[in-house]
Amino acid sequence: MSANTIVSVDCIPMRLPFFHWSPPPLFAGRPRDKLDSALVRVQTQDGAVAWGESYCVEPRALQAVFETLIAPLACGKDAADQTLLPLMQRTLHNLGRSGPVVHALAGLDIALWDLRAKREGVPLYALLGGKRRDRVRAYASLLQYYGDAQRLHEVVTRALDEGYTEIKLHERTADALGAARGAAGPQVPIMVDTNCAWLPAEAPAAIAAMMPHAPFWIEEPLWPPEDDQALMQLGRQCEVPLAVGENASSAYALTRLIEQDAVQYVQPSVIKLGFTAAWGLAQQCQGTSVRCTPQVAFFGPGYLASLHLIAAQQDEVSLERLYVELAHVPYGDTVPIKDGWVAVPDAPGLGADPEQALAQGQYRQ
């Protein structure tokens, strides 16, 4: 057994309380005041530890996937083996090409990149050819306020006062965008994520109603999100860029959108698709009219992995930062946001490991 042999793969679900200056939003019909994801901890024979992150809707299901599928397949294997993840993906493919199994593999993938960079004593971006920028602009990604104009005005103003210069809404109406625009003024970019609000026949009119308020992009406009033909048709009809990718069932689905020039922005989630897939999509976007702008509604190692990806890719884009008041701010001391910007960390690997309070303390489920 070599020093680089994987001896353990652990899933650590975390639940981070938040407040967004309003009654909790609803998720599956219930108030939501905590953000869930899961840390992935990988350790090798010589004691080296690396971290990843997986999308986590149901902690019990994800932990079971790690315990019964991921850990048995990974333990005993060489962490540096570039075929490890592809072989695991093929072995488990009949359990689904999206969902908890794929999300678990994504978390392991991030951890293996962290480990590889730590072994070489370099920051993750160095494995991607080096960083093209020392800092990345962050935009304030608001949760849903259900069109409440007063709250939208207050929270947009609050974010701008803290130094953010770009805003994203999770709203579905022109009036909501109008309220945000009234607070932000004419120059601030405002993206609108509708969370798959409209059927294809409904979207053109809804987007047209928003146009007087100058949306920067419309994100996830259609249901079902995988209807790429309807998405292409919508893109030809409307005058605002479209952004999609958070709900992609696979990297292949986003590859097709790039090849077809169907949207202006693709948004892979590293904690759903994995870092390898997201970086591949970023490289595919080079020389095209499509930009890779990762979806980053999370705060753990996946957040840092996305930061490294944006720092290293050709196109300069902003980093999504979910705009809420957290009970604990991951990487608040090691990788802080200052005046709407995030400095790219230069320490080996992802640049920072999860704080003890987050990994083992009161926020661990």
Side-chain angles (χ1 to χ4, degrees):
M1 187 177 293
S2 72
N4 212 35
T5 300
I6 298 171
V7 296
S8 65
V9 179
D10 296 310
C11 171
I12 308 171
M14 62 181 188
R15 178 159 287 170
L16 202 55
F18 74 88
F19 178 61
H20 77 310
W21 313 284
S22 179
L26 298 178
F27 182 77
R30 295 180 296 178
R32 181 188 187 196
D33 62 359
K34 298 178 179 65
L35 299 169
D36 295 339
S37 66
L39 300 177
V40 179
R41 184 183 186 275
V42 172
Q43 184 168 337
T44 54
Q45 178 65 28
D46 64 351
V49 173
W51 293 92
E53 184 177 5
S54 292
Y55 184 70
C56 180
V57 171
E58 172 43 60
R60 293 168 297 180
L62 191 65
Q63 284 182 302
V65 168
F66 271 94
E67 291 169 3
T68 62
L69 300 172
I70 305 301
L73 286 172
C75 289
K77 304 297 194 303
D78 184 352
D81 184 355
Q82 298 292 310
T83 68
L84 175 60
L85 255 296
L87 287 173
M88 290 179 67
Q89 290 167 340
R90 293 181 68 174
T91 299
L92 299 174
H93 81 275
N94 63 344
L95 300 179
R97 296 282 287 140
S98 63
V101 172
V102 176
H103 301 160
L105 289 167
L108 176 60
D109 184 40
I110 294 169
L112 293 178
W113 277 92
D114 182 38
L115 180 64
R116 196 175 308 140
K118 285 176 174 175
R119 291 285 194 206
E120 296 192 21
V122 298
L124 177 55
Y125 64 71
L127 301 185
L128 310 176
K131 61 181 176 179
R132 296 173 182 264
R133 47 201 64 91
D134 293 322
R135 63 176 189 162
V136 171
R137 187 190 304 274
Y139 66 83
S141 183
L142 280 58
L143 290 182
Q144 190 170 9
Y145 291 91
Y146 303 98
D148 187 319
Q150 181 177 346
R151 291 192 189 278
L152 283 165
H153 192 283
E154 291 172 351
V155 178
V156 168
T157 300
R158 181 189 186 100
L160 295 175
D161 286 346
E162 289 184 10
Y164 289 96
T165 57
E166 299 176 352
I167 302 291
K168 183 158 83 177
L169 308 179
H170 287 82
E171 303 289 339
R172 299 182 171 186
T173 66
D175 287 344
L177 176 56
R181 177 59 68 199
Q187 302 302 320
V188 173
I190 302 180
M191 296 78 92
V192 183
D193 185 349
T194 74
N195 291 119
C196 306
W198 307 305
L199 297 174
E202 301 168 335
I207 293 174
M210 292 183 175
M211 293 306 294
H213 307 300
F216 186 79
W217 75 47
I218 302 295
E219 183 173 335
E220 300 288 0
L222 296 182
W223 180 261
E226 62 269 22
D227 190 344
D228 55 353
Q229 295 302 311
L231 195 63
M232 290 177 65
Q233 183 175 354
L234 179 62
R236 290 192 292 265
Q237 289 178 279
C238 65
E239 299 177 1
V240 62
L242 302 181
V244 300
E246 173 187 355
N247 295 301
S249 59
S250 68
Y252 177 70
L254 293 182
T255 292
R256 289 187 61 192
L257 293 178
I258 297 169
E259 290 173 347
Q260 296 169 347
D261 199 26
V263 295
Q264 287 72 41
Y265 298 94
V266 292
Q267 301 174 295
S269 168
V270 298
I271 68 171
K272 289 182 177 180
L273 299 182
F275 187 80
T276 300
W279 177 241
L281 291 164
Q283 291 178 297
Q284 186 186 355
C285 286
Q286 291 188 25
T288 77
S289 62
V290 183
R291 289 190 170 193
C292 180
T293 57
Q295 187 263 354
V296 196
F298 36 87
F299 297 94
Y303 173 81
L304 295 187
S306 300
L307 175 60
H308 281 271
L309 186 154
I310 291 173
Q313 73 173 11
Q314 183 179 68
D315 290 323
E316 183 171 3
V317 299
S318 298
L319 176 74
E320 182 174 13
R321 178 68 174 190
L322 204 60
Y323 187 65
V324 294
E325 190 174 273
L326 296 168
H328 168 71
V329 182
Y331 312 120
D333 295 327
T334 51
V335 190
I337 296 178
K338 295 182 179 179
D339 298 321
W341 291 86
V342 187
V344 181
D346 293 319
L350 291 170
D353 286 339
E355 292 91 335
Q356 289 296 106
L358 188 61
Q360 299 178 349
Q362 58 182 310
Y363 306 112
R364 179 173 176 171
Q365 296 193 48

